[in-house]
């Protein structure tokens, strides 16, 4: 199988991730739940993972790294810590449902700072206009999971700092691919999954915290058990219940893999694949392609449609030929509304460090064959 659905999950992991998870099942108990060797080993492994993440994302203290189930869990903590019913919240025009749905659930007043695809200046201008004194929170998607548009988050973050508006960054498609400097960004929270660009297992996520925040869940923390409420300090405040130690052990190895290669090298490789795909697909008259003329503002995510064909049927035809892609709205209807693909959806390719140019050429040949047989 050629796997081009890495924006959903990097299915192909470093072998060390699998080994670490298998070992953890039999060796690691629960951190903070005893002084015996298995509990102490779990506490050490969790701290190693926090430290590795803090180093990769330039977080001052490992305790500011909170483990979550996924990016959605992390975003819910962040959003519900900073916004409530009736609050005006500004988001980009490319947000995922993991941002829109929590905001709608709490009754926030959402303003979308929509801007044309791959237009960085327009994105900054849209936020500049939308961030009024009444704004209680801003949320921005670092990279669109549909189109790969790299939004100018540092410039948007600067606007938020100048206006004293809290900021949440959804780094789901950026973590492990783009450089993220938590200190320089100055965001209140940065959320990310473990199972995408960090090459960890499903069921893992990270929330980088600039403040302790409000709790989303309450329960055992393994510390201060006499307290009737959750501890005020991180990470204990946000980590209620038993930790996913096999997941954390695997995530540690994924982060180590990314740190060894370096995000710059990973991005360079994946953008080479993106460039090869764009170059070849531009030659196909039947294909409508969503790509940036200046590749620096596009991550290795590429959407397309075959004219006159349903995106789902194209994806199914590729799957029958052993090529895994995703089709539809990708849980991001707002992004499709912004770009004008809400009714059609798109087919999406997304690359990882384990993909090759040979796989890209094979995909293009198969796509040509599908188009030929349907014409």
């Amino acid at each position: 199988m050629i796997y081009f659905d890495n924006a959903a999950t990097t299915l192909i992991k470093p072998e060390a991730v699998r080994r670490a998870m298998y070992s953890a099942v039999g060796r690691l108990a629960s951190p903070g739940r005893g002084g015996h060797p298995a509990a102490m080993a779990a506490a050490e492994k969790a701290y190693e993972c926090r430290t590795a993440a803090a180093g990769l994302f330039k977080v001052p203290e490992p305790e500011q790294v909170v483990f979550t189930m996924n990016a959605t869990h992390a975003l819910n903590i962040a959003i519900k810590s900073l916004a409530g019913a009736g609050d005006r919240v500004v988001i980009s025009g490319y947000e995922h449902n993991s941002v829109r749905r929590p905001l709608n659930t709490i009754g926030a007043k959402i303003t979308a700072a929509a801007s044309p695809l791959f237009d960085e200046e327009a994105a900054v201008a849209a936020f500049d206009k939308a961030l009024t004194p009444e704004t209680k929170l801003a949320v921005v998607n670092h990279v669109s999971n549909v189109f790969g548009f790299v939004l100018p988050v540092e410039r948007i973050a600067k606007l938020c700092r100048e206006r004293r508006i809290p900021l949440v960054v959804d780094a789901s498609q950026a973590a492990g691919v783009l450089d993220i400097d938590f200190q320089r960004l100055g965001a209140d929270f940065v959320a990310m999954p473990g199972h995408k660009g960090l090459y960890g297992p499903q069921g893992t996520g990270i929330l980088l915290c600039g403040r302790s925040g409000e709790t989303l869940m309450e329960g055992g923390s393994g510390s201060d058990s006499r307290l009737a409420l959750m501890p005020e300090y991180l990470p204990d405040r946000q980590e209620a219940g038993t930790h996913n130690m096999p997941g954390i052990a695997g995530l540690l190895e994924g982060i180590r893999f990314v740190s060894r290669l370096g995000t710059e090298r990973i991005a360079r490789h994946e953008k080479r694949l993106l460039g090869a795909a764009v170059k070849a697909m531009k030659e196909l008259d039947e294909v409508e392609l969503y790509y940036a003329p200046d590749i620096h503002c596009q991550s290795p995510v590429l959407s397309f449609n075959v004219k006159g064909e349903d995106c789902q049927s194209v994806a199914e035809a590729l799957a029958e030929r052993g090529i895994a892609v995703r089709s539809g709205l990708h849980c991001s209807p707002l992004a499709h509304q912004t770009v004008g693909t809400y009714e059609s959806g798109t087919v999406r390719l997304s690359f990882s460090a384990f993909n090759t140019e040979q796989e890209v050429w094979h995909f293009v040949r198969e796509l040509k064959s599908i188009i030929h047989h349907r014409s």
Side-chain angles (χ1 to χ4, degrees), residues 71 107 127 132 135 142 148 237 254 276 288 293 298 307 311 318 372 375:
F127 270 91
T132 64
T135 304
H142 194 167
R237 181 167 178 77
E288 186 172 10
Q298 184 172 6
K307 296 172 185 176
C311 67
L318 287 166
H372 173 74
S375 61

Side-chain angles (χ1 to χ4, degrees), residues 109-194:
K109 296 178 180 178
I110 303 173
T111 296
S115 58
L117 186 59
F118 302 124
D119 190 333
E120 295 175 292
E121 295 303 322
V124 174
F127 270 91
D128 187 27
K129 181 179 179 181
L131 293 172
T132 64
E134 296 76 30
T135 304
K136 299 297 184 183
L137 173 65
V139 186
V140 62
N141 196 335
H142 194 167
V143 175
S144 167
N145 72 304
V146 181
F147 301 103
F149 179 21
V150 181
L151 277 81
V153 292
E154 291 198 0
R155 294 171 65 185
I156 294 168
K158 184 172 184 290
L159 291 175
C160 291
R161 291 195 304 271
E162 290 171 349
R163 301 174 196 192
R164 300 181 182 277
I165 296 170
L167 173 66
V168 173
V169 175
D170 178 0
S172 293
Q173 301 299 331
V177 180
L178 303 180
D179 178 53
I180 298 173
D181 188 323
F182 183 71
Q183 286 185 279
R184 187 174 68 230
L185 199 59
D188 292 78
F189 294 102
V190 176
M192 62 190 68

Side-chain angles (χ1 to χ4, degrees), residues 306-365:
V306 175
K307 296 172 185 176
E309 296 289 341
D310 176 70
C311 67
Q312 182 66 38
S313 68
V314 174
E316 288 174 355
L318 287 166
E320 290 170 0
R321 295 165 183 248
I323 301 170
V325 297
R326 185 174 176 183
S327 63
L329 297 181
H330 315 98
C331 300
S332 297
L334 180 59
H336 289 278
Q337 288 171 345
T338 299
V339 175
T341 52
Y342 183 76
E343 297 301 327
S344 64
T346 61
V347 184
R348 183 187 70 186
L349 306 176
S350 47
F351 306 107
S352 86
F354 292 100
N355 290 126
T356 66
E357 285 196 46
Q358 287 73 24
E359 290 177 328
V360 172
W361 305 137
H362 182 80
F363 155 76
V364 173
R365 286 195 298 271

Side-chain angles (χ1 to χ4, degrees), residues 203-238:
T204 61
I206 287 174
L207 182 63
L208 309 180
C209 301
R211 59 172 78 192
S212 59
E214 299 300 322
T215 58
L216 190 65
M217 298 190 300
E218 298 77 35
S221 59
S223 60
D224 287 325
S225 293
R226 289 187 176 87
L227 293 176
L229 300 175
M230 292 297 288
E232 293 291 335
Y233 52 85
L234 293 172
D236 301 49
R237 181 167 178 77
Q238 299 295 353

Side-chain angles (χ1 to χ4, degrees), residues 17-26 28-29 45 200-204 242-253:
V17 172
R18 298 183 180 87
R19 291 198 302 266
M21 294 183 69
Y22 180 82
S23 176
V25 171
L28 303 182
K45 186 67 68 175
Q202 295 94 319
T204 61
T242 301
H243 291 76
N244 174 11
M245 287 314 304
I248 291 170
L251 178 57
L252 170 59
E253 294 305 323

Side-chain angles (χ1 to χ4, degrees), residues 83-87 106-109:
D87 286 344
I106 64 176
K109 296 178 180 178

